[in-house]
Amino acid sequence: MKSRMILPVGVGFGIGDDFEETAALMQSLSAVVSVCGTPVHLAGALGVRTCVLVPRIAEWRYGADTSRMPWYPTVQLLRQNGTEDWQAPLAATRN
């Protein structure tokens, strides 16, 4: 079994306080898992494999029923089956 490391990225964690630093960190990872937000777009623009945890009712840019973003071929959308049900999307990040 592969070992996994989780790195909290963002302001206040000391990692990723600016885009250049965050981009370098993302490029060193095998994959990024994120909720909807700026890290998704940065990782997608860099071509980094990315899994996005998308709520059942999402913003327009995440589409209504697709598993991919048209702008970023390396980004996979993992959607909730129901409100507050994150089991399936989180399980899919293990693949």
Side-chain angles (χ1 to χ4, degrees):
M1 181 177 184
K2 289 191 234 179
S3 65
R4 297 179 186 261
M5 181 174 24
I6 298 173
L7 298 172
V9 177
V11 175
F13 289 107
I15 299 173
D17 289 334
D18 63 50
F19 274 168
E20 192 171 324
E21 187 176 305
T22 303
L25 175 64
M26 287 178 169
Q27 289 177 314
S28 73
L29 301 173
S30 58
V32 170
V33 177
S34 180
V35 295
C36 305
T38 303
V40 170
H41 299 282
L42 179 58
L46 293 169
V48 175
R49 181 176 172 255
T50 306
C51 297
V52 185
L53 303 174
V54 181
R56 192 173 68 85
I57 300 172
E59 294 180 351
W60 65 269
R61 66 184 58 108
Y62 299 100
D65 59 1
T66 183
S67 65
R68 295 284 177 192
M69 293 183 78
W71 309 283
Y72 312 122
T74 58
V75 174
Q76 180 182 11
L77 304 176
L78 306 173
R79 298 179 181 279
Q80 282 182 316
N81 293 327
T83 305
E84 302 301 320
D85 179 12
W86 290 105
Q87 288 182 354
L90 287 171
T93 66
R94 295 185 185 108
N95 298 329

